[in-house]
Amino acid sequence: MSKTVDIDWSNLGFSYIKTDLRYVSIWKDGKWDDGKLTEDNRLYISEASTAIHYGQQCFEGLKAYRAKNGDIQLFRPDENAKRMNSSADRILMPEVPVEKFIDACMQVVKANEHFVPPYGSGASLYLRPFLIGVGDNLGVKTAPEFLFSVFCVPVGPYFKGGMTPVNFVVTDFDRAAPSGTGSAKVGGNYAASLLANKLAKKEGFADCIYLDPETHTKIEEVGAANFFGITHDDVFITPTSDSILPSITKYSLLYVAKEYLGLKVEERDVLVDNLSEFKEAGACGTAAVITPIGAIQYKDNLHVFHSETEVAPITKKLYDTLVGIQLGEVEAPKGWIYKVK
Ligand code: PLP
Ligand code: COI
């Protein structure tokens, strides 16, 4: 390793730290340029960019891990590339070729290798690819130019305490609409979530749970993560809906639960009135990894799952297996790990 940085890896939270180099590429006249690395962490864009006025932007989140054997590896970056392209399609932005997306991530990790947290620290290098509409434009239409960038930040747990149970409250607000952009990773969904998140935190909860925007009876998202529950007869359940972000962690857990832990798995509606069907529950996502849900407040009732303080056994096994795969301790399914170095 050429350089070192003075970071207390074991006590990192999920906060911005400027790292050395980020990748940037511009789409103009129908094509992408070759892209390059830059030290500059600011953007110089037209005041009339569609990203600023009309929310024409989408982003991704994935992580690089230092494995047990010292390798640096990415977890399923091809899936993030594909999801970014489906977000881009939904709001009329050009796709970034999957190979270009992965190459950009690899370049950023290599250029910031000294920011990849050590194996065993519990931290990882979070990559934030984003695609935005730029250039001079005034009417509500797609931008004349686009910017694709990837930066990285070393991070620890997203929810305080990491693998410790936290409580969530069900909000009356919606983050997305039926037939809207809930399944795309676009900034507008997150702007819509800021107030609900602030109110939940003010009440002492880690974040809020969103119900389906049409009937407000089914669980959709847990803040910026997907929901899963384990029924009393050991079935791994996650909700299905057009307004949920298709979480790569969630789909990985569906596979891990079935193929590694031998559980039955099911994607189906989860009624907020029927939380007692689950003995365990959790939130899952790249940033959240697996965060055990201790309890959910819905109206006047606090529903406690396994425990508000202790991690439930199946949730723990799912976590150990998933993180074990990401850190090279457990054999990964074919194609899940991309070696950077
Ligand atoms: N749901 C929302 C709203 C998110 O922002 C995220 C984070 O990306 C997730 C779920 C989890 O998705 P993934 O596992 O692909 O990170
Ligand atoms: C992720 O898990 O990558 C996310 O995008 C969550 C984030 C909005 C903090």
Side-chain angles (χ1 to χ4, degrees):
M1 207 187 295
S2 50
K3 290 195 215 169
T4 53
V5 281
D6 183 19
I7 292 178
D8 181 4
W9 304 108
S10 305
N11 286 311
L12 279 175
F14 197 84
S15 307
Y16 181 77
I17 296 170
K18 184 188 178 306
T19 49
D20 286 352
L21 288 151
R22 76 178 164 96
Y23 173 94
V24 62
S25 179
I26 302 291
W27 185 95
K28 206 174 165 180
D29 301 327
K31 56 179 192 309
W32 287 106
D33 69 12
D34 288 341
K36 60 172 194 219
L37 293 173
T38 170
E39 285 179 6
D40 196 347
N41 69 338
R42 288 156 299 173
L43 301 175
Y44 299 95
I45 59 173
S46 168
E47 62 187 351
S49 294
T50 58
I52 297 173
H53 300 273
Y54 307 130
Q56 195 182 27
Q57 69 87 247
C58 64
F59 67 97
E60 275 302 323
L62 68 158
K63 283 175 170 171
Y65 304 84
R66 198 175 293 276
K68 197 172 181 181
N69 65 1
D71 287 356
I72 299 176
Q73 52 197 38
L74 290 168
F75 183 68
R76 310 191 77 180
D78 52 326
E79 291 299 321
N80 292 91
K82 286 187 246 163
R83 188 174 64 190
M84 194 175 86
N85 286 337
S86 70
S87 299
D89 292 346
R90 177 65 180 81
I91 56 170
L92 291 189
M93 300 200 285
E95 294 192 359
V96 174
V98 172
E99 311 72 53
K100 183 179 178 76
F101 179 102
I102 296 174
D103 174 58
C105 293
M106 296 269 189
Q107 285 193 42
V108 169
V109 177
K110 280 184 193 153
N112 295 285
E113 188 190 336
H114 44 295
F115 285 102
V116 182
Y119 170 77
S121 62
S124 52
L125 188 73
Y126 184 73
L127 304 192
R128 175 51 66 84
F130 61 97
L131 172 60
I132 63 176
V134 295
D136 299 338
N137 171 73
L138 200 54
V140 181
K141 59 180 186 299
T142 189
E145 293 168 25
F146 294 86
L147 182 151
F148 168 58
S149 184
V150 182
F151 67 84
C152 66
V153 180
V155 297
Y158 184 69
F159 290 112
K160 214 167 158 247
M163 188 56 174
T164 6
V166 285
N167 293 354
F168 294 88
V169 59
V170 176
T171 178
D172 290 333
F173 288 107
D174 294 319
R175 60 178 279 286
S179 308
T181 54
S183 63
K185 202 163 167 60
V186 299
N189 299 339
Y190 297 83
S193 76
L194 292 176
L195 178 59
N197 170 280
K198 183 180 166 186
L199 295 174
K201 285 194 170 143
K202 206 170 145 199
E203 287 183 63
F205 294 96
D207 205 333
C208 61
I209 290 193
Y210 295 93
L211 301 181
D212 71 291
E214 197 149 21
T215 69
H216 277 202
T217 57
K218 296 173 261 181
I219 289 190
E220 295 227 317
E221 298 265 17
V222 187
N226 275 184
F227 175 90
F228 70 85
I230 310 291
T231 60
H232 296 281
D233 53 353
D234 292 348
V235 185
F236 176 97
I237 309 278
T238 81
T240 169
S241 152
D242 288 345
S243 44
I244 293 179
L245 188 79
S247 156
I248 294 156
T249 314
K250 189 263 290 287
Y251 284 111
S252 305
L253 285 177
L254 277 165
Y255 187 87
V256 163
K258 185 161 181 262
E259 303 298 334
Y260 286 64
L261 305 190
L263 303 179
K264 278 202 194 128
V265 301
E266 219 180 304
E267 283 187 276
R268 58 131 160 106
D269 289 344
V270 170
L271 296 174
V272 69
D273 267 335
N274 195 21
L275 294 177
S276 56
E277 70 170 318
F278 301 115
K279 59 178 178 182
E280 302 185 20
C284 63
T286 300
V289 193
I290 288 183
T291 302
I293 302 181
I296 294 178
Q297 177 85 36
Y298 177 50
K299 299 197 170 131
D300 292 332
N301 181 44
L302 183 76
H303 180 90
V304 180
F305 294 95
H306 173 78
S307 156
E308 284 182 86
T309 50
E310 245 178 51
V311 182
I314 295 179
T315 303
K316 171 90 172 68
K317 273 192 203 154
L318 287 166
Y319 178 93
D320 288 344
T321 313
L322 177 71
V323 173
I325 290 171
Q326 292 166 335
L327 296 178
E329 296 162 343
V330 173
E331 193 174 344
K334 199 161 173 276
W336 280 21
I337 297 296
Y338 282 61
K339 192 172 158 192
V340 179
K341 255 192 105 157

